[in-house]
Amino acid sequence: METDITAPIDVTASHPPWPTPGRAGVAETATRSVLPPAAPEECRERQVGAPKAQALYALPADSWQIAGVTLQSRLLLGTAHYPSPQTLADAAAAGGAQVFTVGLRRLQPESGGGQAFWQRIAALGGHVLPNTAGCHDAEQAVNLARMARELFGTHWIKLEVVGDDYTLQPDPFGTLQAAETLVREGFAVFAYTTDDLVLARRLHEAGVAAVMPWAAPIGSGRGPQNLHALRTLRERLPDAVLIVDAGLGRPSHAAQVMELGFDAVLLNTAVAEAADPVRMAAAFAHAVQAGRLGHLAGAMAERDTAHASTPTVGMPFWHEPGAKPSS
């Protein structure tokens, strides 16, 4: 489902379409015209003979690279738990995602399971990122990564080694061990981890393509639980590709971490289990863009005291000698 977001939104329609950043990503949202909210009759009167509103700001092209591939979208999308295959396809298009994660272990590819699902993922037209979700040690994860390379013809792998079945917290030792092995074997490793700085640095030094800290436990939707830790990761690892993975539940959560300077976010449950996954995918796409633009713009410094936004020179005129209050 591709949407022409360069055309003005038809505010006279009973259900106006929401603008979506198509597959080409940020640059496609450069021009839009939107009338202020009003009743349909008022909108029609205002549109007659009136010039179209101009875009206030043209979003710059903001491509980025990972594992030798240039991407336009900074929203990566998981493919599980959607109400239907068509909803997945529509959400993928609405969000403009170009990378899609696929859990191999849960669909048993070694026995031929999930063939129809593989075909649907291929039809999305993006880059497939197989993951090792469900593995509990480094050996399992490495073997599954090798299988994924044979099945999909890709050296990309999202590395997950579960350390605790209740919280699904990754095993730091198994993750690092598997990452080192896979990097030696030529894989581009997207390493899922916690927000621990030391482990993230070790993974980066091991040569992973991306370090992917969680914001909160997988599927919790609680949003960033430790913004200080995430900010520290970005500050201390300026050259690493950092993608927030897991725990985001609302578009505002994505904007928060993108404002910190993270390169991208990966979502699944927040979109798949929304009341309207397609609209939610579009909402997240715009939130990611907003957060990225906010980071590039540079936010004002926080202050402990109030500062008047309207500058004054000298004394207000009604306090000057001889001034008389109006009656």
Side-chain angles (χ1 to χ4, degrees):
M1 180 185 70
E2 298 290 349
T3 304
D4 179 10
I5 52 78
T6 63
I9 295 178
D10 180 9
V11 294
T12 65
S14 58
H15 297 285
W18 58 95
T20 61
R23 299 242 171 190
V26 176
E28 290 192 15
T29 60
T31 56
R32 259 195 309 277
S33 60
V34 184
L35 288 173
E41 295 77 10
E42 296 173 346
C43 292
R44 281 193 286 271
E45 292 176 2
R46 222 181 305 172
Q47 285 180 312
V48 175
K52 294 181 179 179
Q54 298 298 313
L56 296 179
Y57 184 76
L59 295 175
D62 189 31
S63 61
W64 61 298
Q65 287 195 334
I66 184 167
V69 173
T70 299
L71 300 173
Q72 304 299 325
S73 173
R74 293 176 181 269
L75 173 64
L76 289 67
L77 200 61
T79 57
H81 303 301
Y82 287 83
S84 70
Q86 187 60 51
T87 302
L88 167 59
D90 291 345
Q98 295 176 290
V99 176
F100 304 98
T101 62
V102 177
L104 282 85
R105 188 173 179 83
R106 295 192 175 103
L107 292 178
Q108 300 179 327
E110 67 276 8
S111 61
Q115 290 301 322
F117 185 73
W118 307 139
Q119 293 173 5
R120 295 190 187 104
I121 298 303
L124 297 177
H127 300 275
V128 175
L129 178 59
N131 70 45
T132 63
C135 292
H136 287 77
D137 59 50
E139 183 179 3
Q140 287 181 349
V142 168
N143 288 336
L144 195 58
R146 292 166 178 160
M147 183 184 302
R149 182 164 56 183
E150 295 298 320
L151 284 171
F152 295 102
T154 179
H155 65 294
W156 285 18
I157 191 71
K158 180 171 180 276
L159 176 61
E160 298 183 31
V161 181
V162 177
D164 179 74
D165 284 327
Y166 181 73
T167 64
L168 297 181
Q169 182 170 328
D171 176 355
F173 310 104
T175 298
L176 182 59
Q177 180 185 349
E180 291 172 338
T181 299
L182 292 171
V183 169
R184 284 196 302 269
E185 295 186 9
F187 283 88
V189 179
F190 295 61
Y192 170 60
T193 180
T194 63
D195 53 20
D196 181 84
L197 172 62
V198 176
L199 178 57
R201 185 166 55 203
R202 292 287 301 275
L203 288 166
H204 179 53
E205 292 170 349
V208 301
V211 178
M212 305 180 72
W214 69 2
I218 293 175
S220 67
R222 286 156 46 187
Q225 298 296 288
N226 193 340
L227 280 173
H228 174 72
L230 294 175
R231 183 182 295 108
T232 300
L233 285 179
R234 181 70 286 175
E235 292 173 351
R236 298 292 299 278
L237 299 173
D239 299 324
V241 174
L242 297 180
I243 302 173
V244 169
D245 174 20
L248 302 181
R250 301 173 183 272
S252 58
H253 297 160
Q256 273 187 299
V257 297
M258 292 301 293
E259 286 176 356
L260 297 179
F262 278 75
D263 295 283
V265 300
L266 191 155
L267 308 164
N268 191 159
T269 310
V271 173
E273 295 188 2
D276 187 335
V278 180
R279 286 182 184 268
M280 188 59 76
F284 266 106
H286 288 294
V288 167
Q289 292 176 355
R292 175 65 179 170
L293 194 58
H295 169 70
L296 295 176
M300 63 169 283
E302 294 184 4
R303 303 184 178 110
D304 293 329
T305 59
H307 284 245
S309 58
T310 303
T312 58
V313 177
M315 185 180 296
F317 73 89
W318 58 85
H319 287 170
E320 293 178 356
K324 295 181 179 181
S326 58
S327 57

